[in-house]
Amino acid sequence: MNEQATTERERIVQAYERRKKDVPVDRYSSFNLLNLTQGFLRDYQIVRILRGAGIGSLANLDILEVGCGSGYFLRQFVQWGADPSRVVGVDLLPERVEAARQNCPIGTKVICCDARQLPFDTASFDVVMQFTALSSVADDGIRKAIADEMMRVVRPGGVVLSYDMCVNNPNNPDIRRVTQEDLQRLFPGEHQRSRRLNLVPPLARKLGGSAPSLIGFLSKIKPICSHLLFVSKRAES
């Protein structure tokens, strides 16, 4: 690992350590009513955008998540019909890998590795995805290296799926937005679609989880949404 990559890795590790101290315990909990509401709207759009890219079922597909954290989306994809033995997650931080192994169904593989050097053969997966992993990476060169690896391991006709912050958060300098232009450049493909999702955090937290219908309505106003869901289908040849 070169000096630049080592520095970025240390920055990421320190950022997650700070979050343990500074972020309220229930901020990202699925039992938080706001997260439950926004999560439902997000997950609905994930399935919708995948179906629009030609994926009618997750059965018999090989699926990889880069930066899987504690395994939320690995579990979701199994719940949506993926075979656990064909679902793989990777993460840079050993404690997150251990949490994912404990949380995910038997058969799911979770590996601790640097996403710039994925330990998989070229064209190994039908779906390669990342959820708020790229926004945690500040360095453009490292972002591109991760994206290049994601494109390397996705099969022709397969898809890359991304869900990430598309606006900067002035209260969180550890996060750097990932724009639609960034994604179009990093993940070239013949079918690219995107949708803005989830209210910006300050507004969402003011509303809380007491008004899911209002959150759903306001989420249709794209300028006040903070995340971008993006899919790119790799050309067949």
Side-chain angles (χ1 to χ4, degrees), residues 48-70:
R48 185 181 176 192
I49 205 168
L50 285 173
R51 292 180 67 89
I55 296 178
S57 168
L58 298 179
N60 303 316
L61 298 185
D62 295 302
I63 298 169
L64 170 67
E65 182 183 0
V66 172
C68 66
S70 60

Side-chain angles (χ1 to χ4, degrees), residues 176-228:
R176 181 180 161 215
R177 69 176 183 168
V178 184
T179 67
Q180 181 163 320
E181 291 74 19
D182 292 333
L183 293 168
Q184 289 172 335
R185 182 180 67 256
L186 293 171
F187 302 118
E190 61 181 13
H191 170 103
Q192 293 186 337
R193 296 290 186 276
S194 64
R195 294 190 177 94
R196 288 280 291 268
L197 304 174
N198 298 125
L199 298 180
V200 292
L203 175 58
R205 288 173 193 141
K206 285 183 180 179
L207 293 173
S210 60
S213 59
L214 177 59
I215 291 173
F217 173 77
L218 292 176
S219 295
K220 297 177 182 179
I221 305 173
K222 303 313 177 187
I224 60 173
C225 291
S226 59
H227 288 68
L228 186 69

Side-chain angles (χ1 to χ4, degrees), residues 141 143-153 185-187:
R143 273 190 180 185
K144 185 176 186 308
I146 293 171
D148 287 348
E149 277 291 88
M150 292 174 68
M151 289 298 293
R152 179 184 68 81
V153 300
R185 182 180 67 256
L186 293 171
F187 302 118

Side-chain angles (χ1 to χ4, degrees), residues 1 5 9 12 64-68 89-93 111-120 128-130 133-134 137 141-153 187:
M1 186 180 293
R9 185 186 190 283
I12 292 170
L64 170 67
E65 182 183 0
V66 172
C68 66
V90 301
D91 202 277
L92 181 66
L93 305 180
I111 300 168
C112 188
C113 73
D114 186 329
R116 296 176 306 137
Q117 295 178 310
L118 295 173
F120 310 113
V128 179
M129 54 195 186
Q130 76 87 24
L134 286 180
V137 178
I142 294 176
R143 273 190 180 185
K144 185 176 186 308
I146 293 171
D148 287 348
E149 277 291 88
M150 292 174 68
M151 289 298 293
R152 179 184 68 81
V153 300
F187 302 118

